[in-house]
Amino acid sequence: MNDSNRERDLVLAPNEYAFISDQTKGNINVYVGPYKTSLANTDKPVLFDAETKQFIKCNLDESIQTFTIAPEGWYVILKNPPKDGNQPKVGTSNNLGELNIGRKVNIPGPVFFALWPGQIAKIVTGHHLRSNQYLVVRVYDETEAKKNWTKAVVKVKNAESGEDEIISTEAPDLITGKTLIIKGTNVSFYIPPTGVEVVRDEQGNYVREAVTLERLEYCILLDENGKKRYVQGPNVVFPEPTEDFVVRNGNRKFRAIELNEISGLYIKVIAPYEENGIRYEVGQELFITGKDQMIYYPRTEHAIIKYGEQEIYHAVAIPSGEGRYVLNRKTGAVTLKTGPIMFLPDPREEVIVRRVLDLRQVELWFPGNKEALEYNARLKELFQQTQQDEFILAKDADLALKGGTTKEESRKRSMTTVPSGFTGEEFNRPEQLARPRTITLYNKYEGAVTINLWTGYAVLVVSKTGTRKVIVGPQTYLLEYDENLQTVELSTGTPKTEENLLRTVYLKVLHNKISDMVKAESSDFCQVNIHLSYRVNFEGEPEKWFNVENYVKFLTDHIRSVIRNAVKKYKIMDFYANGINIIRDTVLGVAGENGKRNGRRFEENGMHIYDVEVFDIKLGDANIEKMLINAEQDVIRQNLAIANEKRKLELTEEVENVNRKISESKSQTKQQALELQKIEIKKELESKMAAIESEIKSRQRSLDAKLAEQDLLAKISSAELAVEKERQAFTLDVEKQQLEIYLAELKGEVEAVVAKASAVSPDLVAALQAFSDRALAEKVATSMAPLSILGGKSVAEVFANMLKGTVLGNTLGNVKEQLEEGGFGL
């Protein structure tokens, strides 16, 4: 019993209260401490559930609640306040008072009190504001708000003393539901009056942060009417009651856009305005570059036009020797921009496009380049997906080729990423470490179609307007968008036919080699197969070079006809023996005095055959060819025999020349000996004459002596001597004349012998050897040989032998005998 009684005793300490329900009457009384009472069995402790707005039974200990206490700087939001404004009294039991159900009041601290049953109290700290903070307050009861507006606790910081001061403010036009902004620049502490509530933000905070803008930063505020307000820094931005900050990627402030001469923004005017005396109308499009404005801040009249993720348009680097295709969006014309240039296209009119090459064109223009073939195949697939006319946008090609992004996916990712961190007065540019800025150019497939021509090659460029021009290497040529390369077809194989044509766009204009097989017929109806090769250059006006589509077939057909005509003029034996020279003379012309040939020129396309090589000449009939070969071999054998005989003849001639020189040398020696002998004979004759004269003188003296002795005898002797003298003188004269004749004849004979010796030649000997009567030839040769004359005999003996049996020979014999008798030896 004692324990039960104690459980029914309600003991409340100061600052405590409890709700007790009278189960007999349904009343709920409020017991406020300090207080003690014993509860009847019909009294039940209860609690008020603020969520369900119901009273819930509980045990006695759970029913005890503490006072609502709001210290200095706090306030209580009390719902369902009493009509008389009095809360339950302390230290007694209070019957339920009359409440203003559905209303609420703000009670600033310091304050503490117990609650009536059905009341809801919320203790809120007073709102301290810094200069960059603010509150959003809303009027929920305009009558109470107007009545209690001046009762709001509002403090501002005194600039001089640094202390808070309470101020009173005039009530604005307060309407239920109206939202007001309490700025920290004006108010440092705020407790709302009754009729006004502070609105929490999305995170449940009462105090909100304003946007502090540094220089080069801006923020965007969106009003409930759809209008935007752009605010530039440095500034502290407080929204209007109907405005909200535009948030992107968690950021409410953004960096100004840096522009330079090679970057720009594509702007759409969405509201008319006037700036610097220029009027801008709605719908007008602008392209603002760094030349116009280095730092760009968005404005309410502007809307940035973006394609996909591209917000800032940057210039494209076009190196020297490269180009880009640029489409004019208004006229549809595609032009070629060539480098070196930093090209910034104006998006209002210009857009860079890629030219999609047909796979057949790639194979012709870039033979063997698998990479180019795969690249254009992927472009072809993208071209079919986008269903564009003749080109594909460069940005779409980059997205598709790099990441496989379709056009629809690129639109979904159109939001621009805004950096979450901001620094001071600088522009942050993404760089690793502190390396200098670098740009990597890889324009292999991004630019215009580039044709690299090697030395000795040419292409024909044809535009859709019909313009033709020939490009001759070595050089690099950038194709205009409407230009294509003319395709030529070349016959292949040997002989050249049209069964397997080679399609190409590159014409080899220097040192071209064309092989062919020509079938011809000789004048004696023998078939000839000629395997040859032409050396061809293209000369003159380049515009003519492509006038003949298949120049190989054109050349071979013509030269075949010329060669057939030339072969027809010769018999097979003559042509087979000198076929190469005949073909070269026919194709290239006869060599001139300088040994060079003019070659053959084609006026139709400027071809010039400057040389021809004949590899083989074969006859159609193998038997005839074998006979010709045998005949040629016989001729070769005969030529070899003749050459052998000629070599023998040359050897004989050399030997005889040596012998002749030997004979001439011996003859000269013999002539000198004869001259010496002649001199000796003359000396001997003079000596004999002197002796005769001496003897005559001696005899004359003897006779004179005898004459002196005998005059008569003298006279007789004188007469005899006279007679004898006359006889001797006559004889001497005769001998002298004979000797002179002999010497003259001997001299003539020697000269004749020398002439005969010189007349004797190997040809004469060879001729004599050919005679049938070899004995007679040997006798004549022996008699006439210079060696027999010069064999050691005297001239007289040789001469006598030669004149033996003649009158002159007998006379010469008598003279010899007389000389021998007189003591004169020859």
Side-chain angles (χ1 to χ4, degrees), residues 215-218 232-233 256-257 293 295-299 302:
R215 194 176 299 276
L216 302 180
E217 291 181 345
Y218 69 96
Q232 301 176 9
I257 300 176
Q293 188 173 343
I295 304 297
Y296 176 78
Y297 290 96
R299 54 189 301 161
H302 286 178

Side-chain angles (χ1 to χ4, degrees), residues 708-725:
E709 293 179 355
Q710 299 178 3
D711 290 332
L712 182 61
L713 185 61
K715 290 180 180 180
I716 296 172
S717 298
S718 298
E720 293 177 352
L721 288 171
V723 173
E724 184 67 20
K725 184 177 180 181

